Amino acid sequence: METSFTPFASLAGGLLIGLAAVLLMATRGRVFGATGILAGFISPSSSSDWAWRAALLAGMVTGPLVYLGVAGEFPAIEVPVSTPMMVIGGLIVGMGVTYGSGCTSGHGVCGLARISPRSIVATLTFMATTGLTVYLVRHVMGG
Amino acid sequence: MRLIVTYLIGLVFGVGISLSGMANPAKVLNFFDVFGTWDPSLAFVMGGAVVVAFLGYRWVLKQPAPMFDPHFQVPTSRTIDARLIGGSAVFGIGWGIAGFCPGGALPALGTGNLDVLIFTAALVAGIFAARLLMRITANLTDNGLTRA
């Protein structure tokens, strides 16, 4: 499935993601890692620790609604993956980010921005295995 | 008031993800499909986000404390071990299969898309499965140590 190259929208989106990361650090002193925020939300250590995560997640989830209000449509979600593969992919992602202590936002954005050696290693690792997986699925197994 | 500010910060992230294309598995997977239907857009997402966060953090982390909390709570571990590398490698396999990462999928829940819901449910199940596995392996190690 072809998708069109969108450098300006993607850059603008990236700038907003970076801005959100900076604002969360400036106010709550935390990195903006989706994995860590979700993990603390589903098993909170205290009610005060839960409330800010719930507020942050509520903001994240309502992001597409603001996009809808401005652009007149929801952001495109095209899924070239079967439902069973989506379940398998989700399970693997959940296990991987728990063992790896982070994902694209935590290691890839916040960790690289802090020049954390752990995050640099993590990001290089998952970018490599993602690329390899896509190659195998599309050009070796599926074709 | 503080929760409203935090909500708005989440909203900025959610709008950013919506605009960026990170909530679209077809676009994410095409970024990695260099030998097929390559779409380099996501390099602009990562590039933009990292540059802003890098510059912003330099200023923010010089402050004595964050506004709503007595301390910064940034990760301090510097250990690069098998768990970090193995976990990240496994995460990449799942990302390559599904096309969603947690940061892309959570905001995308707001569209009501069924695939996002299925992915997120599986993601949460995977987090619990990993925690259970960690607890089991930790117990096994403890028992092994006490017996030895």
Side-chain angles (χ1 to χ4, degrees), chain A residues 1 3-4 6 10 13-14 26-29 39 43 59 61-62 64 76 78 92 96 99 110 113 118 122 126 129-130 138-139, chain B residues 6-7 10-11 16 20 24 26-27 30 33 39 41 49 54 57 67-68 73-74 77 79 83 87-90 92 107 110 123 131:
Chain A
M1 186 188 288
T3 52
S4 49
T6 55
S10 289
T27 52
R28 303 256 167 207
S43 38
V61 171
T62 40
E78 301 148 299
I92 295 176
Y99 273 94
C110 300
R118 266 172 68 82
F126 67 66
T129 55
T130 309
R138 291 198 169 177
H139 300 288
Chain B
T6 304
Y7 168 81
L11 193 63
S20 70
N24 188 355
K27 210 167 168 61
N30 278 350
D33 194 6
D39 176 357
S41 304
F54 174 77
Y57 279 178
M67 289 162 69
F68 303 164
Q73 299 187 43
V74 294
S77 168
T79 323
R83 178 174 280 204
S88 299
V90 168
L123 166 72
R131 286 180 182 172

Side-chain angles (χ1 to χ4, degrees), chain A residues 1-32 34-35 38-40 42-43 51-53 55-67 74-83 85-105 107-119 121-123 125-131 133-135 137-139, chain B residues 2-3 5-27 29-33 35-42 44-50 52-54 56-57 59-61 65-69 71-75 77-81 83-103 106-113 115-116 118-120 122-131 133-134 137:
Chain A
M1 186 188 288
E2 297 250 354
T3 52
S4 49
F5 178 48
T6 55
F8 298 109
S10 289
L11 180 64
L15 296 177
L16 289 178
I17 293 165
L19 176 66
V22 173
L23 292 174
L24 189 68
M25 186 63 82
T27 52
R28 303 256 167 207
R30 307 281 190 136
V31 293
F32 205 130
T35 295
L38 178 66
I42 55 182
S43 38
W52 73 268
R53 293 169 190 273
L56 195 70
L57 283 167
M60 290 163 74
V61 171
T62 40
L65 296 169
V66 171
Y67 182 94
F74 273 129
I77 299 179
E78 301 148 299
V79 181
V81 179
S82 70
T83 303
M85 291 310 277
M86 197 51 97
V87 173
I88 291 167
L91 283 169
I92 295 176
V93 169
M95 298 194 68
V97 296
T98 305
Y99 273 94
S101 313
C103 56
T104 327
S105 48
H107 282 311
V109 175
C110 300
L112 292 192
R114 294 192 305 118
I115 322 179
S116 151
R118 266 172 68 82
S119 292
V121 169
T123 305
T125 305
F126 67 66
M127 293 302 270
T129 55
T130 309
T133 304
V134 170
Y135 180 77
V137 168
R138 291 198 169 177
H139 300 288
Chain B
R2 290 178 173 190
L3 286 178
V5 171
T6 304
Y7 168 81
L8 291 173
I9 294 170
L11 193 63
V12 170
F13 185 91
V15 172
I17 289 287
S18 302
L19 199 56
S20 70
M22 288 295 292
N24 188 355
K27 210 167 168 61
L29 294 173
N30 278 350
F31 173 72
F32 291 98
D33 194 6
F35 302 106
T37 49
W38 192 43
D39 176 357
S41 304
L42 296 196
F44 290 77
V45 185
M46 283 285 270
V50 171
V52 171
F54 174 77
Y57 279 178
W59 176 75
V60 167
L61 291 171
M67 289 162 69
F68 303 164
D69 200 285
H71 312 285
F72 287 107
Q73 299 187 43
V74 294
S77 168
R78 296 185 71 82
T79 323
I80 294 170
D81 53 8
R83 178 174 280 204
L84 175 79
I85 296 171
S88 299
V90 168
F91 160 49
I93 294 169
W95 196 21
I97 290 172
F100 279 123
C101 59
L106 293 177
L109 281 172
T111 65
N113 179 292
D115 284 297
V116 183
I118 291 168
F119 173 84
T120 309
L123 166 72
V124 171
I127 292 174
F128 281 117
R131 286 180 182 172
L133 210 63
M134 282 175 173
T137 47

